[in-house]
PDB file of all heavy atoms in Angstrom:
ATOM      1  N   THR G  31     -55.539 -47.523 -43.820  1.00  0.00           N
ATOM      2  CA  THR G  31     -54.556 -48.592 -43.784  1.00  0.00           C
ATOM      3  C   THR G  31     -53.228 -48.132 -44.453  1.00  0.00           C
ATOM      4  O   THR G  31     -53.234 -47.126 -45.194  1.00  0.00           O
ATOM      5  CB  THR G  31     -55.059 -49.855 -44.514  1.00  0.00           C
ATOM      6  OG1 THR G  31     -55.246 -49.568 -45.931  1.00  0.00           O
ATOM      7  CG2 THR G  31     -56.380 -50.350 -43.922  1.00  0.00           C
ATOM      8  N   HIS G  32     -52.169 -48.893 -44.210  1.00  0.00           N
ATOM      9  CA  HIS G  32     -50.880 -48.680 -44.884  1.00  0.00           C
ATOM     10  C   HIS G  32     -50.452 -49.902 -45.595  1.00  0.00           C
ATOM     11  O   HIS G  32     -50.786 -51.019 -45.175  1.00  0.00           O
ATOM     12  CB  HIS G  32     -49.807 -48.286 -43.822  1.00  0.00           C
ATOM     13  CG  HIS G  32     -50.086 -47.065 -43.039  1.00  0.00           C
ATOM     14  ND1 HIS G  32     -50.125 -45.825 -43.602  1.00  0.00           N
ATOM     15  CD2 HIS G  32     -50.319 -46.900 -41.714  1.00  0.00           C
ATOM     16  CE1 HIS G  32     -50.385 -44.921 -42.671  1.00  0.00           C
ATOM     17  NE2 HIS G  32     -50.525 -45.531 -41.513  1.00  0.00           N
ATOM     18  N   ASP G  33     -49.700 -49.736 -46.642  1.00  0.00           N
ATOM     19  CA  ASP G  33     -49.117 -50.889 -47.343  1.00  0.00           C
ATOM     20  C   ASP G  33     -47.962 -51.485 -46.587  1.00  0.00           C
ATOM     21  O   ASP G  33     -47.567 -52.623 -46.785  1.00  0.00           O
ATOM     22  CB  ASP G  33     -48.628 -50.491 -48.722  1.00  0.00           C
ATOM     23  CG  ASP G  33     -49.732 -50.199 -49.716  1.00  0.00           C
ATOM     24  OD1 ASP G  33     -50.851 -50.726 -49.484  1.00  0.00           O
ATOM     25  OD2 ASP G  33     -49.534 -49.427 -50.636  1.00  0.00           O
ATOM     26  N   ASP G  34     -47.401 -50.664 -45.714  1.00  0.00           N
ATOM     27  CA  ASP G  34     -46.120 -51.020 -45.010  1.00  0.00           C
ATOM     28  C   ASP G  34     -46.363 -51.217 -43.507  1.00  0.00           C
ATOM     29  O   ASP G  34     -47.384 -50.861 -42.943  1.00  0.00           O
ATOM     30  CB  ASP G  34     -45.092 -49.884 -45.165  1.00  0.00           C
ATOM     31  CG  ASP G  34     -44.992 -49.432 -46.628  1.00  0.00           C
ATOM     32  OD1 ASP G  34     -44.789 -50.285 -47.481  1.00  0.00           O
ATOM     33  OD2 ASP G  34     -45.091 -48.211 -46.842  1.00  0.00           O
ATOM     34  N   TRP G  35     -45.336 -51.785 -42.871  1.00  0.00           N
ATOM     35  CA  TRP G  35     -45.275 -51.768 -41.399  1.00  0.00           C
ATOM     36  C   TRP G  35     -44.959 -50.337 -40.933  1.00  0.00           C
ATOM     37  O   TRP G  35     -44.164 -49.697 -41.569  1.00  0.00           O
ATOM     38  CB  TRP G  35     -44.207 -52.676 -40.886  1.00  0.00           C
ATOM     39  CG  TRP G  35     -44.467 -54.149 -41.022  1.00  0.00           C
ATOM     40  CD1 TRP G  35     -44.188 -54.968 -42.079  1.00  0.00           C
ATOM     41  CD2 TRP G  35     -45.187 -54.955 -40.096  1.00  0.00           C
ATOM     42  NE1 TRP G  35     -44.621 -56.247 -41.846  1.00  0.00           N
ATOM     43  CE2 TRP G  35     -45.238 -56.271 -40.617  1.00  0.00           C
ATOM     44  CE3 TRP G  35     -45.721 -54.733 -38.824  1.00  0.00           C
ATOM     45  CZ2 TRP G  35     -45.855 -57.334 -39.940  1.00  0.00           C
ATOM     46  CZ3 TRP G  35     -46.345 -55.747 -38.165  1.00  0.00           C
ATOM     47  CH2 TRP G  35     -46.389 -57.059 -38.683  1.00  0.00           C
ATOM     48  N   ALA G  36     -45.624 -49.887 -39.893  1.00  0.00           N
ATOM     49  CA  ALA G  36     -45.315 -48.589 -39.297  1.00  0.00           C
ATOM     50  C   ALA G  36     -44.827 -48.775 -37.873  1.00  0.00           C
ATOM     51  O   ALA G  36     -45.516 -49.432 -37.056  1.00  0.00           O
ATOM     52  CB  ALA G  36     -46.584 -47.704 -39.329  1.00  0.00           C
ATOM     53  N   VAL G  37     -43.688 -48.236 -37.585  1.00  0.00           N
ATOM     54  CA  VAL G  37     -43.113 -48.261 -36.247  1.00  0.00           C
ATOM     55  C   VAL G  37     -43.127 -46.836 -35.717  1.00  0.00           C
ATOM     56  O   VAL G  37     -42.414 -45.971 -36.252  1.00  0.00           O
ATOM     57  CB  VAL G  37     -41.716 -48.844 -36.247  1.00  0.00           C
ATOM     58  CG1 VAL G  37     -41.132 -48.818 -34.827  1.00  0.00           C
ATOM     59  CG2 VAL G  37     -41.725 -50.292 -36.773  1.00  0.00           C
ATOM     60  N   MET G  38     -43.913 -46.581 -34.696  1.00  0.00           N
ATOM     61  CA  MET G  38     -44.133 -45.195 -34.231  1.00  0.00           C
ATOM     62  C   MET G  38     -43.549 -44.952 -32.840  1.00  0.00           C
ATOM     63  O   MET G  38     -43.719 -45.739 -31.943  1.00  0.00           O
ATOM     64  CB  MET G  38     -45.643 -44.899 -34.192  1.00  0.00           C
ATOM     65  CG  MET G  38     -45.982 -43.486 -33.730  1.00  0.00           C
ATOM     66  SD  MET G  38     -47.735 -43.112 -33.959  1.00  0.00           S
ATOM     67  CE  MET G  38     -48.496 -44.185 -32.753  1.00  0.00           C
ATOM     68  N   LEU G  39     -42.909 -43.802 -32.723  1.00  0.00           N
ATOM     69  CA  LEU G  39     -42.497 -43.255 -31.439  1.00  0.00           C
ATOM     70  C   LEU G  39     -43.294 -41.962 -31.169  1.00  0.00           C
ATOM     71  O   LEU G  39     -43.368 -41.135 -32.079  1.00  0.00           O
ATOM     72  CB  LEU G  39     -41.033 -42.895 -31.399  1.00  0.00           C
ATOM     73  CG  LEU G  39     -39.984 -44.047 -31.455  1.00  0.00           C
ATOM     74  CD1 LEU G  39     -38.576 -43.465 -31.546  1.00  0.00           C
ATOM     75  CD2 LEU G  39     -40.123 -44.955 -30.242  1.00  0.00           C
ATOM     76  N   VAL G  40     -43.873 -41.877 -30.001  1.00  0.00           N
ATOM     77  CA  VAL G  40     -44.549 -40.606 -29.594  1.00  0.00           C
ATOM     78  C   VAL G  40     -43.589 -39.905 -28.657  1.00  0.00           C
ATOM     79  O   VAL G  40     -43.197 -40.408 -27.609  1.00  0.00           O
ATOM     80  CB  VAL G  40     -45.880 -40.906 -28.867  1.00  0.00           C
ATOM     81  CG1 VAL G  40     -46.508 -39.631 -28.366  1.00  0.00           C
ATOM     82  CG2 VAL G  40     -46.877 -41.564 -29.849  1.00  0.00           C
ATOM     83  N   ASP G  41     -43.169 -38.690 -29.075  1.00  0.00           N
ATOM     84  CA  ASP G  41     -42.201 -37.935 -28.274  1.00  0.00           C
ATOM     85  C   ASP G  41     -42.857 -37.007 -27.270  1.00  0.00           C
ATOM     86  O   ASP G  41     -42.263 -36.661 -26.266  1.00  0.00           O
ATOM     87  CB  ASP G  41     -41.319 -37.131 -29.252  1.00  0.00           C
ATOM     88  CG  ASP G  41     -40.461 -38.020 -30.120  1.00  0.00           C
ATOM     89  OD1 ASP G  41     -39.826 -38.959 -29.604  1.00  0.00           O
ATOM     90  OD2 ASP G  41     -40.437 -37.798 -31.332  1.00  0.00           O
ATOM     91  N   ASP G  42     -44.093 -36.604 -27.548  1.00  0.00           N
ATOM     92  CA  ASP G  42     -44.789 -35.675 -26.652  1.00  0.00           C
ATOM     93  C   ASP G  42     -46.281 -35.906 -26.765  1.00  0.00           C
ATOM     94  O   ASP G  42     -46.781 -36.113 -27.895  1.00  0.00           O
ATOM     95  CB  ASP G  42     -44.447 -34.241 -26.975  1.00  0.00           C
ATOM     96  CG  ASP G  42     -45.062 -33.243 -25.977  1.00  0.00           C
ATOM     97  OD1 ASP G  42     -44.797 -33.403 -24.776  1.00  0.00           O
ATOM     98  OD2 ASP G  42     -45.815 -32.393 -26.436  1.00  0.00           O
ATOM     99  N   GLY G  43     -46.989 -35.902 -25.658  1.00  0.00           N
ATOM    100  CA  GLY G  43     -48.406 -36.186 -25.685  1.00  0.00           C
ATOM    101  C   GLY G  43     -48.678 -37.676 -25.705  1.00  0.00           C
ATOM    102  O   GLY G  43     -47.771 -38.489 -25.474  1.00  0.00           O
ATOM    103  N   GLU G  44     -49.911 -38.053 -25.999  1.00  0.00           N
ATOM    104  CA  GLU G  44     -50.298 -39.453 -26.133  1.00  0.00           C
ATOM    105  C   GLU G  44     -51.302 -39.590 -27.285  1.00  0.00           C
ATOM    106  O   GLU G  44     -52.038 -38.655 -27.574  1.00  0.00           O
ATOM    107  CB  GLU G  44     -50.939 -39.962 -24.831  1.00  0.00           C
ATOM    108  CG  GLU G  44     -49.980 -39.991 -23.651  1.00  0.00           C
ATOM    109  CD  GLU G  44     -50.607 -40.568 -22.415  1.00  0.00           C
ATOM    110  OE1 GLU G  44     -51.725 -41.125 -22.502  1.00  0.00           O
ATOM    111  OE2 GLU G  44     -49.984 -40.446 -21.329  1.00  0.00           O
ATOM    112  N   VAL G  45     -51.315 -40.762 -27.894  1.00  0.00           N
ATOM    113  CA  VAL G  45     -52.248 -41.045 -28.996  1.00  0.00           C
ATOM    114  C   VAL G  45     -53.065 -42.289 -28.647  1.00  0.00           C
ATOM    115  O   VAL G  45     -52.489 -43.296 -28.227  1.00  0.00           O
ATOM    116  CB  VAL G  45     -51.484 -41.280 -30.301  1.00  0.00           C
ATOM    117  CG1 VAL G  45     -52.431 -41.629 -31.446  1.00  0.00           C
ATOM    118  CG2 VAL G  45     -50.681 -40.027 -30.699  1.00  0.00           C
ATOM    119  N   VAL G  46     -54.368 -42.147 -28.790  1.00  0.00           N
ATOM    120  CA  VAL G  46     -55.220 -43.304 -28.623  1.00  0.00           C
ATOM    121  C   VAL G  46     -55.655 -43.750 -30.055  1.00  0.00           C
ATOM    122  O   VAL G  46     -55.972 -42.896 -30.875  1.00  0.00           O
ATOM    123  CB  VAL G  46     -56.451 -43.018 -27.731  1.00  0.00           C
ATOM    124  CG1 VAL G  46     -57.323 -41.929 -28.315  1.00  0.00           C
ATOM    125  CG2 VAL G  46     -57.231 -44.278 -27.456  1.00  0.00           C
ATOM    126  N   TYR G  47     -55.667 -45.041 -30.291  1.00  0.00           N
ATOM    127  CA  TYR G  47     -55.968 -45.513 -31.619  1.00  0.00           C
ATOM    128  C   TYR G  47     -56.696 -46.855 -31.550  1.00  0.00           C
ATOM    129  O   TYR G  47     -56.534 -47.640 -30.659  1.00  0.00           O
ATOM    130  CB  TYR G  47     -54.704 -45.652 -32.481  1.00  0.00           C
ATOM    131  CG  TYR G  47     -53.721 -46.708 -31.972  1.00  0.00           C
ATOM    132  CD1 TYR G  47     -53.698 -47.956 -32.524  1.00  0.00           C
ATOM    133  CD2 TYR G  47     -52.779 -46.361 -31.010  1.00  0.00           C
ATOM    134  CE1 TYR G  47     -52.791 -48.893 -32.083  1.00  0.00           C
ATOM    135  CE2 TYR G  47     -51.867 -47.303 -30.531  1.00  0.00           C
ATOM    136  CZ  TYR G  47     -51.889 -48.571 -31.086  1.00  0.00           C
ATOM    137  OH  TYR G  47     -50.955 -49.512 -30.621  1.00  0.00           O
ATOM    138  N   GLY G  48     -57.547 -47.066 -32.574  1.00  0.00           N
ATOM    139  CA  GLY G  48     -58.195 -48.311 -32.700  1.00  0.00           C
ATOM    140  C   GLY G  48     -57.495 -49.156 -33.767  1.00  0.00           C
ATOM    141  O   GLY G  48     -57.108 -48.619 -34.812  1.00  0.00           O
ATOM    142  N   LEU G  49     -57.353 -50.439 -33.470  1.00  0.00           N
ATOM    143  CA  LEU G  49     -56.662 -51.348 -34.397  1.00  0.00           C
ATOM    144  C   LEU G  49     -57.459 -52.629 -34.502  1.00  0.00           C
ATOM    145  O   LEU G  49     -57.548 -53.371 -33.488  1.00  0.00           O
ATOM    146  CB  LEU G  49     -55.243 -51.641 -33.917  1.00  0.00           C
ATOM    147  CG  LEU G  49     -54.405 -52.560 -34.778  1.00  0.00           C
ATOM    148  CD1 LEU G  49     -54.112 -51.949 -36.119  1.00  0.00           C
ATOM    149  CD2 LEU G  49     -53.052 -52.897 -34.074  1.00  0.00           C
ATOM    150  N   ASP G  50     -58.078 -52.871 -35.643  1.00  0.00           N
ATOM    151  CA  ASP G  50     -58.879 -54.093 -35.874  1.00  0.00           C
ATOM    152  C   ASP G  50     -59.904 -54.309 -34.734  1.00  0.00           C
ATOM    153  O   ASP G  50     -60.089 -55.402 -34.252  1.00  0.00           O
ATOM    154  CB  ASP G  50     -57.943 -55.259 -35.968  1.00  0.00           C
ATOM    155  CG  ASP G  50     -58.619 -56.489 -36.639  1.00  0.00           C
ATOM    156  OD1 ASP G  50     -59.414 -56.247 -37.567  1.00  0.00           O
ATOM    157  OD2 ASP G  50     -58.348 -57.605 -36.211  1.00  0.00           O
ATOM    158  N   GLY G  51     -60.540 -53.212 -34.310  1.00  0.00           N
ATOM    159  CA  GLY G  51     -61.590 -53.349 -33.338  1.00  0.00           C
ATOM    160  C   GLY G  51     -61.152 -53.131 -31.876  1.00  0.00           C
ATOM    161  O   GLY G  51     -62.004 -52.983 -31.002  1.00  0.00           O
ATOM    162  N   GLY G  52     -59.869 -53.192 -31.582  1.00  0.00           N
ATOM    163  CA  GLY G  52     -59.378 -53.006 -30.217  1.00  0.00           C
ATOM    164  C   GLY G  52     -58.803 -51.620 -30.032  1.00  0.00           C
ATOM    165  O   GLY G  52     -58.320 -50.991 -31.027  1.00  0.00           O
TER     166      GLY G  52
END
Side-chain angles (χ1 to χ4, degrees):
T31 64
H32 300 294
D33 289 335
D34 312 309
W35 287 91
V37 177
M38 180 171 67
L39 291 177
V40 175
D41 296 311
D42 184 57
E44 296 183 10
V45 176
V46 62
Y47 64 96
L49 179 66
D50 198 37

